[in-house]
Amino acid sequence: MKPVRTVARALLAAVFVRGGLDAYKNPDRYLDGAQAVTDRWGPTLNSVGLPTDPRSLARATGVVQMVGGVLLGTNTAVGPAALALAGTLVPSTLAGRDVWSPEPGDTTGRPILDRPELLKNLGLLGGLLLAAVDTEGKPGVAWRTGHLAEHAQDTVKRAAHTTAKETKRAAHLTAKEAKRAADDARRAARTATREAKFAVKSTPVAGVLTR
């Protein structure tokens, strides 16, 4: 593994390990964001077995971020860890009041994408998605699938070419054998004709000799 990849994953993981630890130890600091998530997706969280209490959700999110950050930072199960961390960002980004609601005293009417918190979450999400699909220089699933498909097509083409060649060869041999049989038949017919003529010529002589 290249050192750049290791350092990049460690830096990305550090954000989540630190944030997850803080959310687990001080869940009250994250109650506003957790409350927004439970208010909007409470039934969905309950259906998948996640806590709907804001404090419990904040602490559970902290645990996931700590564990996922450690796995990502140590290059262990990078894909699943990155996806799990991304999963903790999406609800808070979509439902977070500090992201979508106007900031206190902000009368500039600045666009949503100027909000630092939103841009930070989107940047982290992009980094996690890159980590999730990173194959570390090895062929990815899509490439391997395409390569196998091309190999199968080449195999079919070679088999078809070989079959056509063998069929043509068999047809050529059959025609050659048929010609040889016809030649043999003609030779046999000529031989039989000569023998018949010889027999006819020899018949009077045989009759004279027997008198």
Side-chain angles (χ1 to χ4, degrees), residues 41-52:
W41 289 298
T44 303
L45 295 174
N46 187 51
S47 65
V48 296
L50 293 177
T52 56

Side-chain angles (χ1 to χ4, degrees), residues 1-18 65-83 85 124 126-138:
M1 180 182 296
K2 295 183 179 179
V4 174
R5 181 178 282 108
T6 302
V7 172
R9 289 178 179 175
L11 293 175
L12 184 60
V15 177
F16 292 95
V17 173
R18 178 65 182 84
Q65 290 185 344
M66 283 190 294
V67 174
V70 170
L71 292 176
L72 180 62
T74 56
N75 299 310
T76 305
V78 173
L83 291 177
L85 292 174
L124 291 173
L128 291 172
L129 292 178
L130 287 177
V133 300
D134 182 24
T135 60
E136 301 181 6
K138 301 175 183 179

Side-chain angles (χ1 to χ4, degrees), residues 84-97:
L85 292 174
T88 65
L89 284 179
V90 173
S92 60
T93 301
L94 295 178
R97 292 170 181 167

